[in-house]
Amino acid sequence: MNKFDITSEQIQLVVIEFYSRIRSDQELGPIFNAAIGTNAADWRAHEAKIASFWRNAAGLDRSYSGNPMLVHVKNSKVQPELFSRWLRIFRDTAEDILPDGAAHGLADLADRIGQSLAMGIGQFRERHGNAPNLRSS
Ligand code: HEM
C-alpha cells in the first residue's frame, strides 16, 4: 500500500541528485567517497541499492534486502550528530525536484528513519564503543 503518492522514476531522480549534492558536501562527501569510492560504476550500484531501499520504504516494491542499521554502525565515521545535515540535504533535494506532496512524504519518511538510525547508532556506540568491528575483547 502506498503511503503517499510517488513513482519509482521520481525516487530515482531524487537519489541521483541527492548523492550528487552529498558528494560535494564538505562534511559528508568524504565519508561516502571513502566508503563507496570514486568509481562511476560503484556509485551507480550504490544509487540502485538506495533507490530500491526507498521504493520499499514508500511501499512501491519489495526488492530491497539489507540492514541499514548494521551498515552505519560498522562505519565509525557515521556519527549521529551528522544526521541533521544529511536529512537537510535530502529534504532540500526532494523539495527542489518533486511536487509538494511527494517531496514532503518522502522527506518526512527520511526524518523518521533517520531518527531511528541515529538513535540506534548512538545507543550501540554507548555500549560498545566507536569501532565495534575492530576487536571483540
Ligand atoms: C550522517 C548520515 C549518514 C551517513 C554519513 C551515511 C553513510 C552511508 C554510507 C557511507 C553508506 C555506504 C556503505 C557502503 O556501501 O559501503 C550508507 C549506506 C546506506 N545508507 Fe546511509 N548514511 C547516513 C544516513 C542515512 C539515512 C538517514 C538513511 C535513510 C533514511 C540512510 C540509508 C542508507 C541505506 C539504505 C544504505 C544501504 C545499506 C545496505 O547496504 O543495504 N543513510 N550510508
Side-chain angles (χ1 to χ4, degrees):
M1 189 192 61
N2 234 357
K3 296 161 194 152
F4 52 91
D5 264 346
I6 192 161
T7 66
S8 300
E9 290 72 24
Q10 288 174 322
I11 286 175
Q12 181 72 9
L13 290 175
V14 169
V15 167
I16 302 286
E17 175 62 20
F18 173 67
Y19 284 110
S20 155
R21 294 186 190 189
I22 280 282
R23 290 175 76 181
S24 58
D25 183 75
Q26 273 194 330
E27 284 193 60
L28 297 174
I31 301 176
F32 281 88
N33 287 325
I36 293 156
T38 49
N39 180 289
D42 293 337
W43 271 96
R44 275 199 297 277
H46 176 70
E47 286 158 357
K49 182 170 25 169
I50 299 297
S52 86
F53 167 80
W54 285 116
R55 291 196 305 276
N56 178 70
L60 292 174
D61 72 37
R62 288 279 171 267
S63 62
Y64 175 74
S65 74
N67 187 338
M69 185 69 84
L70 188 65
V71 168
H72 295 99
V73 159
K74 276 164 70 177
N75 186 331
S76 61
K77 295 188 202 119
V78 180
Q79 296 291 344
E81 303 77 59
L82 292 170
F83 272 69
S84 59
R85 189 176 180 96
W86 189 109
L87 291 165
R88 178 77 255 162
I89 297 170
F90 192 84
R91 183 173 290 276
D92 287 347
T93 307
E95 286 176 353
D96 286 347
I97 291 184
L98 302 180
D100 281 357
H104 297 147
L106 191 65
D108 291 351
L109 185 56
D111 284 345
R112 291 197 293 278
I113 298 170
Q115 199 179 11
S116 94
L117 277 177
M119 197 181 292
I121 293 167
Q123 284 171 352
F124 190 92
R125 302 246 167 95
E126 264 173 42
R127 272 183 225 142
H128 305 284
N130 197 30
N133 53 336
L134 292 182
R135 226 168 252 119
S136 56
S137 57

